[in-house]
Amino acid sequence: DIQMTQSPSSLSASVGDRVTITCRASQSISSYLNWYQQKPGKAPKLLIYAASSLQSGVPSRFSGSGSGTDFTLTISSLQPEDFATYYCQQSYSTLATFGQGTRLEIK
Amino acid sequence: EVQLVESGGGLVQPGGSLRLSCAASGFTFSSYSMNWVRQAPGKGLEWVSYISSSSSTIYYADSVKGRFTISRDNAKNSLYLQMNSLRDEDTAVYYCARDSETGTPYSWFDPWGQGTLVTVSS
């Protein structure tokens, strides 16, 4: 199975900060990488697909980049509603796998 | 509006069985592959199973292979997960999630249902 490792596992930041979350795959996955946001008690929500494509309706302060094994999710200016847990997920393999998650907290 | 609604969760003893359902609406269900994803309490997301639009292709995570069976009924716009030989570690919220449209080179999960809680305990 392809292992996905996110860093950091948790992060404290303030409204207005620029934040970057990293996801590393155990082997090359080209651009088969998606990012999701999950708030407590809610289902995950798709933010970015195919490494860098913004899902319809998602604010433009979210962006994704990378290919191969290293990927990043960037939030350009944190808003109060962005405090949540973020997951990366690879779809290169027929057996999808997620990163362990990054919890973004208010400083 | 695209909507997925799971049902069928509950409390079951170890070794028992449960069948989850996911009712789809607002899109052409028969055109999309579907997935089950679970989340143990306080833990991360774990993909469980995939079924193609015509049911011709099915995949399972190693952790559930041989115990869980995914199926669908396109006439009823419904997805199912039959879970047998349940273990304590199967306790989780189970989400159904639509895959990207058939024919696209990339795959992603969107949208997701609200989830149904399965608790395996004696």
Side-chain angles (χ1 to χ4, degrees):
Chain A
D1 292 4
I2 299 175
Q3 308 301 318
M4 306 301 294
T5 304
Q6 289 181 231
S7 60
S9 295
S10 64
L11 174 61
S12 294
S14 301
V15 172
D17 284 353
R18 180 183 180 89
V19 167
T20 297
I21 298 170
T22 297
C23 179
R24 175 165 288 177
S26 60
Q27 67 180 72
S28 177
I29 58 171
S30 184
S31 296
Y32 291 82
L33 192 283
N34 307 313
W35 290 98
Y36 302 86
Q37 177 194 65
Q38 186 179 33
K39 296 182 179 179
K42 300 295 186 181
K45 171 188 172 184
L46 177 69
L47 298 176
I48 302 285
Y49 62 94
S52 60
S53 295
L54 190 68
Q55 172 68 345
S56 176
V58 174
S60 59
R61 62 181 179 272
F62 290 92
S63 64
S65 65
S67 66
T69 60
D70 294 320
F71 302 86
T72 58
L73 173 70
T74 299
I75 310 173
S76 60
S77 178
L78 272 175
Q79 298 302 301
E81 61 268 29
D82 299 337
F83 292 94
T85 300
Y86 293 84
Y87 294 93
C88 63
Q89 174 244 329
Q90 65 81 18
S91 59
Y92 180 86
S93 166
T94 53
L95 306 186
T97 46
F98 291 88
Q100 81 279 13
T102 295
R103 185 176 178 182
L104 180 53
E105 301 173 320
I106 301 174
K107 183 182 287 184
Chain B
E1 179 193 5
V2 174
Q3 194 170 13
L4 299 170
V5 179
E6 301 94 337
S7 60
L11 176 64
V12 61
Q13 292 188 337
S17 298
L18 211 56
R19 188 195 197 206
L20 305 184
S21 299
C22 171
S25 60
F27 65 100
T28 305
F29 182 70
S30 59
S31 294
Y32 289 84
S33 301
M34 297 293 296
N35 298 270
W36 287 100
V37 179
R38 68 183 180 183
Q39 185 170 37
K43 302 298 184 181
L45 300 169
E46 180 188 16
W47 171 82
V48 172
S49 186
Y50 162 96
I51 185 168
S52 63
S53 56
S54 64
S55 304
S56 60
T57 302
I58 287 174
Y59 303 119
Y60 297 100
D62 290 344
S63 58
V64 307
K65 193 178 297 182
R67 300 187 299 121
F68 289 12
T69 301
I70 191 171
S71 63
R72 64 190 294 162
D73 185 335
N74 287 343
K76 295 183 177 179
N77 291 337
S78 293
L79 174 71
Y80 306 102
L81 186 68
Q82 177 67 44
M83 303 185 297
N84 298 332
S85 303
L86 283 162
R87 306 167 179 167
D88 290 352
E89 56 265 34
D90 295 319
T91 293
V93 174
Y94 285 74
Y95 296 100
C96 63
R98 190 182 72 175
D99 213 291
S100 49
E101 191 166 6
T102 301
T104 56
Y106 294 93
S107 171
W108 57 83
F109 303 154
D110 181 69
W112 299 54
Q114 86 289 349
T116 187
L117 177 62
V118 173
T119 303
V120 184
S121 176
S122 54

